[in-house]
Amino acid sequence: MEAAITILALLFVAFIALGVYATVKAVGAAKRGVDRTITQARRTVEDTTLRAKSFGQTGVAGELAQLRLALRTSMRATQDALHAGVAEDSSLAESVGLFRRLSAHGLELDDELKRLEREPDRATVAALLPQLKERTQRITHSADSLRWAARDRARQFADDDLDALNAQIDIEAGALRHWTVEEQRPQQASGAAGRTHDAGVDWPEPTAGAGSSSTADESWGGPAREEAPQAITAPDPHLRTRYPWQKAARPETTN
């Protein structure tokens, strides 16, 4: 009795622990989902603001907004391309590692550009613009190189797979049209015989009879022609040439 109570108590504690674990996991997943949604919304608002500043403002503020917008757009596009490609091609893992190192420089530059937007000394910021443009171009060029290399690799794999598939389809199509090969062989043979006859070689004409008729029929794969029925004795049905799908006649047994 005490053992049964102990087992029930242990099961009760296990169920409670399992319920707590499931609740914690669900709360964590919901929190991550909310954080992801908030981050995406904040990113969308910031990108919209930068786009409005790049088109609506002139001077140093507008150039800073254009640099930040170009940097963020290139880095986000490369990140999405690499993360989507690494799921199908594991060789892109090294490229993802390189992009993480590049992202550290990109985030540092984005933070610096963001601080300079609030800088009141516009003359100093204007003097730093050439250097900031060069850094932005170097980072975006590297990000674009990784992105286009990953896309070219995926497209090359798709082209190779398509070429192999087309070759297999051509082979299968030729196998399905096997009768065309069988029809071309007799035509080639008859054409070669006609060309030989036209060249001046005199071949003996086949004599009219059972042998020539049977040979002509067998060349096309059809049944041989039957002998004309005799007036008194009917032809033996076992001597007739049969179709390939017919069974051979059994020999007569003698007692």
Side-chain angles (χ1 to χ4, degrees), residues 41-132:
R42 186 185 298 114
R43 183 186 304 163
T44 303
V45 172
E46 192 169 3
D47 290 345
T48 304
T49 304
L50 288 175
R51 192 172 290 106
K53 288 181 179 180
S54 63
F55 288 106
Q57 294 183 356
T58 58
V60 177
E63 292 183 1
L64 290 175
Q66 290 178 2
L67 291 178
R68 288 192 64 196
L69 184 62
L71 177 65
R72 294 165 65 91
T73 303
S74 178
M75 298 296 288
R76 187 176 302 117
T78 304
Q79 180 181 4
D80 295 340
L82 291 179
H83 287 176
V86 75
E88 299 178 357
D89 188 3
S90 58
S91 61
L92 293 178
E94 186 175 356
S95 300
V96 173
L98 293 175
F99 177 74
R100 289 174 181 171
R101 296 173 56 186
L102 184 64
S103 296
H105 295 278
L107 292 174
E108 182 181 357
L109 177 59
D110 184 66
D111 291 339
E112 184 176 355
L113 292 174
K114 190 175 182 179
R115 288 194 303 269
L116 290 176
E117 287 180 347
R118 299 187 296 268
E119 177 63 37
D121 189 359
R122 294 301 179 182
T124 305
V125 177
L128 294 175
L129 275 178
Q131 181 183 0
L132 295 173

Side-chain angles (χ1 to χ4, degrees), residues 165-185:
L165 180 60
N166 289 334
Q168 293 178 0
I169 289 175
D170 291 340
I171 295 174
E172 180 66 18
L176 292 176
R177 297 192 183 97
H178 63 89
W179 67 86
T180 59
V181 179
E182 296 179 356
E183 290 178 357
Q184 289 174 359
R185 288 177 181 175

Side-chain angles (χ1 to χ4, degrees), residues 140-233:
T140 55
H141 176 72
S142 299
D144 294 342
S145 298
L146 282 176
R147 182 175 69 254
W148 284 110
R151 290 177 178 176
D152 292 342
R153 181 180 178 86
R155 184 168 58 251
Q156 183 63 37
F157 284 164
D159 292 340
D160 293 343
D161 184 68
L162 182 59
D163 292 340
L165 180 60
N166 289 334
Q168 293 178 0
I169 289 175
D170 291 340
I171 295 174
E172 180 66 18
L176 292 176
R177 297 192 183 97
H178 63 89
W179 67 86
T180 59
V181 179
E182 296 179 356
E183 290 178 357
Q184 289 174 359
R185 288 177 181 175
Q187 292 176 0
Q188 293 175 357
S190 61
R195 289 192 300 270
T196 304
H197 182 74
D198 294 338
V201 180
D202 294 332
W203 293 95
E205 296 292 337
T207 57
S212 62
S213 175
S214 176
T215 304
D217 290 334
E218 290 177 358
S219 65
W220 290 95
R225 295 181 182 177
E226 299 179 358
E227 296 288 341
Q230 301 294 328
I232 298 176
T233 305

